[in-house]
Amino acid sequence: MNDLRDRIEHIVRQVVMETVERSADSWLPAPFVGGRRPLIVANWKMNLLAADVQKYLAGLAPQIESGPEVAICPPLVLLPVLRAALGKHSQVALGAQDLHPFPFGAHTGEHNGAMIVDAGADYVIVGHSERRAAGEQDELVGRKLQAALAAGLRPIVCVGEQLDERENGTTLKVLRNQLSIALAGLASPLPDPADLVVAYEPVWAIGTGRTATAAQAQEIVAFIRERLGELLSFAWAARVRILYGGSVTVDNAESLAARPDVDGFLIGGASLDPDKFSKIIARAARVKSLDYNREVER
Ligand code: PGA
């Protein structure tokens, strides 16, 4: 029954989005809803060394943090290096790419939330598909989310469907499950909406050069927001930032960011080049910042 409902809902959403896509100018500034400050996150994954950090930071545009919030998630060992080197980019936030759910103990090779805070991070990615591919299940993602919040970190919770799940029409079902299990431990009082981020990362789009269309991203991100509302609180969900991730480039950033529910990006490959990363931020700022400034002035 749920499956049938999901399939019908997905088809209706796609038809609506395609109609909107045909009739709308996709380059129009996105209406800025809920006072959500756009967030653009670099996920360096297992790339770059300490020796690359200065050059990377020097390659970022000087005004990079004047619009969207910007965060860099380097390999864990580079967090203190980046923290010390940020200099004129001191507004750039830092994040880790994973954490262990336990606060301490015999877990060789792992790092807890307190260590990650100590190393200079504000954010931590949890449930990235590359970790899910290594066996991480939704329950564990939920425990990591709780551990992150308990340590004072802002979790960026990744969700997304595999290619076969998209093709067999179960995308919404997969996301419904991922969200309800990962967020099951959240209860009243809910965290400040600025302290929890969700990233929609269709697995088939990560590192493949195959990006979701802006309409597909908007459809699913809006679905995630509704689902957060149903699960927790609609007022809260309206203020939570939901990012898109998966082969974001300088060329597709503007049309994706122009979608009203897409509050920014989680970027892998393109974030390794500071020039491309700066351009993506500038393009997202172009479609979001007018409204962002208006919100700030209120
Ligand atoms: P990509 O990676 O931008 O290289 O597709 C995105 C991610 O894995 O977060």
Side-chain angles (χ1 to χ4, degrees):
M1 195 56 213
N2 244 350
D3 278 11
L4 186 62
R5 195 184 77 181
D6 278 345
R7 274 165 203 270
I8 294 170
E9 190 179 333
H10 197 31
I11 291 166
V12 171
R13 280 171 186 276
Q14 276 177 332
V15 170
V16 171
M17 287 314 303
E18 273 160 26
T19 313
V20 171
E21 183 88 334
R22 270 199 298 275
S23 60
D25 178 351
S26 59
W27 305 100
L28 282 179
F32 201 77
V33 194
R36 302 187 299 267
R37 184 177 182 193
L39 171 65
I40 315 282
V41 183
N43 177 9
W44 285 4
K45 307 191 180 182
M46 200 175 70
N47 294 292
L48 305 188
L49 297 169
D52 301 315
V53 165
Q54 283 295 355
K55 195 166 164 228
Y56 183 92
L57 293 176
L60 291 176
Q63 72 288 15
I64 188 180
E65 57 275 81
S66 62
E69 185 181 358
V70 176
I72 299 175
C73 300
L76 196 83
V77 290
L78 293 188
L79 274 171
V81 181
L82 262 160
R83 179 54 74 204
L86 278 175
K88 66 180 189 299
H89 294 299
S90 62
Q91 296 304 306
V92 170
L94 296 178
Q97 299 173 12
D98 188 32
L99 85 168
H100 194 273
F102 288 159
F104 54 84
H107 303 288
T108 301
E110 300 287 354
H111 301 91
N112 63 31
M115 291 168 182
I116 289 168
V117 171
D118 204 33
D122 313 286
Y123 286 92
V124 61
I125 299 170
V126 297
H128 191 279
S129 68
E130 284 151 19
R131 300 216 58 91
R132 291 177 187 262
E136 198 161 309
Q137 308 274 324
D138 292 319
E139 286 78 8
L140 182 55
V141 176
R143 284 167 52 217
K144 290 187 174 189
L145 169 78
Q146 295 294 335
L149 289 170
L153 288 162
R154 294 169 153 185
I156 301 171
V157 190
C158 300
V159 292
E161 79 286 3
Q162 304 278 344
L163 184 58
D164 61 329
E165 293 164 338
R166 176 157 280 268
E167 285 174 349
N168 66 26
T170 53
T171 297
L172 299 188
K173 181 181 173 195
V174 168
L175 291 167
R176 203 185 287 281
N177 280 343
Q178 289 178 340
L179 288 167
S180 48
I181 301 172
L183 303 178
L186 283 184
S188 187
L190 290 170
D192 187 305
D195 291 342
L196 192 145
V197 178
V198 178
Y200 168 53
E201 297 216 305
V203 180
W204 47 271
I206 296 176
T208 57
R210 199 180 151 184
T211 323
T213 64
Q216 284 171 330
Q218 166 61 25
E219 180 214 344
I220 301 299
V221 169
F223 170 78
I224 291 172
R225 197 176 302 289
E226 275 172 38
R227 192 70 198 125
L228 294 180
E230 281 162 21
L231 284 167
L232 298 161
S233 142
F234 284 98
W236 183 81
R239 295 174 58 209
V240 168
R241 291 172 295 179
I242 308 180
L243 314 182
Y244 167 78
S247 298
V248 174
T249 63
V250 177
D251 292 334
N252 60 30
E254 202 159 8
S255 64
L256 285 161
R259 298 296 148 159
D261 280 285
V262 176
D263 299 319
F265 301 128
L266 179 53
I267 309 170
S271 77
L272 294 174
D273 176 338
D275 183 54
K276 286 186 187 156
F277 188 51
S278 300
K279 286 194 172 117
I280 291 172
I281 295 163
R283 292 195 176 190
R286 200 185 300 165
V287 286
K288 297 286 195 197
S289 64
L290 278 176
D291 297 284
Y292 169 60
N293 290 335
R294 226 175 282 145
E295 286 286 335
V296 166
E297 278 157 23
R298 254 182 221 155

